[in-house]
Amino acid sequence: MAIDDSPSFFFSPWPDRLRHAAIILLAAGLALAVVVIFGELSPVRAAAIFICIAAAALVPWRLHDAATSREDVRGVNPIETAAVSAIVSGMPDPAVLLDRAGRVVHLNAAAAQLAPALRKNELAQFALRSPEIISALREAIATTEARRATYLDHVPVDRWMELIITPVPVPTLFGGTDKCMLMTFHDLTPLRRVEEMRADFVANASHELRTPLAALSGFIDTLQGPARDDPRARERFLGIMHIQATRMARLIDDLLSLSRVELSAHVRPDTLVDIVPIIRTVADGLEPLARERQVVIDVDLPEAPVWIAGDREELLRVFENLIENALKYGASGGRVIVSLSMAVSGEGVPEVRVMVRDFGPGIAPEHLPRLTERFYRVDVGDSRSQGGTGLGLSLVKHIVNRHRGRLLIESALKNGATFTTCFPHARTPVLT
């Protein structure tokens, strides 16, 4: 028996209590009146009985409501409570709680972003199509034991993910226990990128650095030996050594930049930047090189800001590489055009297109598919003489991919080359 004796409850609105007890009081009053009329009961005793009945009807006893509350609590599945939902939502990694049959009970925002097809009260295996996930989920449900699976997610970029399925004992409606399945996803991409970066850096650096190191070593031996007292030879060899050392420094810088971009390739930049001043800054900075190569840079950019979601430093690197390549390898055309235009992609998405075109010798068609490979050069001798590392276009491709953009290359022999970067257009930020 439970009585809520708080003052606020006891003095809660009396009209509600009178309305609920009206039938009881009316029936009791009529019955007592009939008994009094027939002389079976005195009016005083009848009044006393009516007062007792009224008191019993109006006093706020909570026996019935308490029992009803307990029944209501029993009618709610323990795993569907708000507390469980809050715990799953608060997990930092993508998390999905499944019932014994594999239906989604709760999922957090990270899981919804990772697998948009997941729906509450629907089977998870219909939304997660990876064979590794389905196999691990079926085994975990059948055996009620923990399972792990590693898989490669290709959309929107390659990501290595680890799935951990953990059985979680939960109470049932009837006082027993059952096991739900908690699925958590861990992003292994940074670890894989670091491993690949280390392996690629060792392989590429050892290959590309061998030549300049051998040259430096040879010149040092010559300067310490036969050319020790030859000022002209010493001056010439020191100049070559400086060029080789500069090339090694640039090669290492490009390798590190490429590795950093690959490490964060799965993370899209979310900062809005105006791309117009970035392009102007790069073009102005390369004017000395243009004058040295006797090339004119024609810049055709709008006056109004053009916004994209991007990383300013990486975008500077993209346009610096493209315009510098046009000045170096297309210098014979005497002109480089840098322009910006708005267009719509094949999927109907508005995009910003930045075109860098030269009028040099052009590139043969068989080379175009491989231009963005690491250390791929159309003309090895010419590339090295220009100070190229063979990593510029590879770096451009990876930065553009990280920005969820596209790199288009068009060229034909004796007709120059056109490199176009396409970025999703962002809405103009609201200035306050």
Side-chain angles (χ1 to χ4, degrees), residues 209-226 237 240-242 244-245 248:
L209 294 176
R210 184 177 294 113
T211 299
L213 282 174
L216 286 174
S217 178
F219 288 132
I220 291 173
D221 291 341
T222 303
L223 290 174
Q224 290 177 338
F237 290 159
I240 298 175
M241 291 171 67
H242 176 72
Q244 295 294 338
M248 282 195 300

Side-chain angles (χ1 to χ4, degrees), residues 203-270:
N204 296 329
S206 62
H207 173 73
E208 290 294 324
L209 294 176
R210 184 177 294 113
T211 299
L213 282 174
L216 286 174
S217 178
F219 288 132
I220 291 173
D221 291 341
T222 303
L223 290 174
Q224 290 177 338
R228 181 192 301 271
D229 300 322
D230 189 340
R232 295 182 59 185
R234 183 168 61 250
E235 189 68 23
R236 174 171 170 267
F237 290 159
L238 287 175
I240 298 175
M241 291 171 67
H242 176 72
I243 294 173
Q244 295 294 338
T246 303
R247 178 172 169 244
M248 282 195 300
R250 182 165 184 173
L251 175 62
I252 293 173
D253 183 53
D254 284 351
L255 278 172
L256 293 175
S257 298
L258 182 59
S259 298
R260 282 193 295 268
V261 173
E262 288 182 334
L263 187 63
S264 58
H266 62 291
V267 181
R268 181 180 181 179
D270 56 4

Side-chain angles (χ1 to χ4, degrees), residues 144-159:
T144 64
E145 296 178 355
R147 288 288 184 272
R148 289 175 176 262
T150 303
Y151 67 98
L152 177 61
D153 188 6
H154 294 283
V155 180
V157 295
D158 287 351
R159 297 174 65 183

Side-chain angles (χ1 to χ4, degrees), residues 70-132:
R70 287 195 294 270
E71 292 298 328
D72 292 342
V73 171
R74 289 196 187 106
V76 177
N77 192 330
I79 65 172
E80 295 180 358
T81 60
V84 177
S85 175
I87 292 173
V88 175
S89 299
M91 299 182 69
D93 291 325
V96 184
L97 183 65
L98 310 177
D99 63 14
R100 189 69 171 79
R103 287 186 292 267
V104 177
V105 181
H106 299 290
L107 73 161
N108 60 9
Q113 183 178 7
L114 179 66
L118 284 172
R119 296 289 185 275
K120 292 189 69 173
N121 301 320
E122 294 184 6
L123 292 174
Q125 61 183 359
F126 293 155
L128 304 170
R129 300 301 182 89
S130 172
E132 295 86 353

Side-chain angles (χ1 to χ4, degrees), residues 81-379:
T81 60
V84 177
S85 175
I87 292 173
V88 175
S89 299
M91 299 182 69
D93 291 325
V96 184
L97 183 65
L98 310 177
D99 63 14
R100 189 69 171 79
R103 287 186 292 267
V104 177
V105 181
H106 299 290
L107 73 161
N108 60 9
Q113 183 178 7
L114 179 66
L118 284 172
R119 296 289 185 275
K120 292 189 69 173
N121 301 320
E122 294 184 6
L123 292 174
Q125 61 183 359
F126 293 155
L128 304 170
R129 300 301 182 89
S130 172
E132 295 86 353
I133 297 177
I134 295 175
S135 177
L137 182 57
R138 288 177 176 172
E139 291 178 7
I141 292 175
T143 63
T144 64
E145 296 178 355
R147 288 288 184 272
R148 289 175 176 262
T150 303
Y151 67 98
L152 177 61
D153 188 6
H154 294 283
V155 180
V157 295
D158 287 351
R159 297 174 65 183
W160 286 270
M161 304 295 297
E162 181 186 30
L163 167 66
I164 301 176
I165 305 176
T166 307
V168 180
V170 295
T172 63
L173 290 173
F174 305 101
T177 58
D178 196 2
K179 286 193 175 180
C180 290
M181 300 294 159
L182 180 62
M183 302 173 58
T184 53
F185 298 82
H186 302 282
D187 193 351
L188 301 180
T189 305
L191 296 177
R192 292 294 187 101
R193 296 290 187 194
V194 168
E195 293 175 1
E196 291 182 355
M197 178 181 67
R198 182 172 58 249
D200 290 345
F201 181 82
V202 172
N204 296 329
S206 62
H207 173 73
E208 290 294 324
L209 294 176
R210 184 177 294 113
T211 299
L213 282 174
L216 286 174
S217 178
F219 288 132
I220 291 173
D221 291 341
T222 303
L223 290 174
Q224 290 177 338
R228 181 192 301 271
D229 300 322
D230 189 340
R232 295 182 59 185
R234 183 168 61 250
E235 189 68 23
R236 174 171 170 267
F237 290 159
L238 287 175
I240 298 175
M241 291 171 67
H242 176 72
I243 294 173
Q244 295 294 338
T246 303
R247 178 172 169 244
M248 282 195 300
R250 182 165 184 173
L251 175 62
I252 293 173
D253 183 53
D254 284 351
L255 278 172
L256 293 175
S257 298
L258 182 59
S259 298
R260 282 193 295 268
V261 173
E262 288 182 334
L263 187 63
S264 58
H266 62 291
V267 181
R268 181 180 181 179
D270 56 4
T271 304
L272 289 183
V273 296
D274 181 6
I275 199 172
V276 174
I278 294 177
I279 300 173
R280 291 192 188 276
T281 299
V282 174
D284 293 343
L286 290 174
E287 275 296 338
L289 178 62
R291 289 194 296 270
E292 178 185 334
R293 301 298 174 97
Q294 298 181 348
V295 179
V296 176
I297 303 178
D298 290 337
V299 179
D300 182 13
L301 300 174
E303 295 297 330
V306 178
W307 301 92
I308 67 171
D311 183 296
R312 187 177 186 277
E313 295 302 321
E314 291 185 357
L315 293 173
L316 283 169
R317 198 67 181 267
V318 166
F319 300 123
E320 181 181 7
N321 273 293
L322 293 178
I323 299 175
E324 186 176 353
N325 283 350
L327 294 175
K328 288 181 177 179
Y329 305 112
S332 59
R335 183 184 176 203
V336 170
I337 299 177
V338 181
S339 63
L340 185 150
S341 62
M342 303 298 299
V344 178
S345 67
E347 292 77 21
V349 178
E351 61 182 12
V352 179
R353 295 186 177 182
V354 181
M355 182 188 71
V356 178
R357 182 184 179 187
D358 67 68
F359 298 85
I363 305 169
E366 62 269 19
H367 295 295
L368 295 180
R370 302 190 60 189
L371 280 180
T372 56
E373 293 181 11
R374 290 187 179 191
F375 300 109
Y376 185 84
R377 299 177 174 94
V378 176
D379 186 335

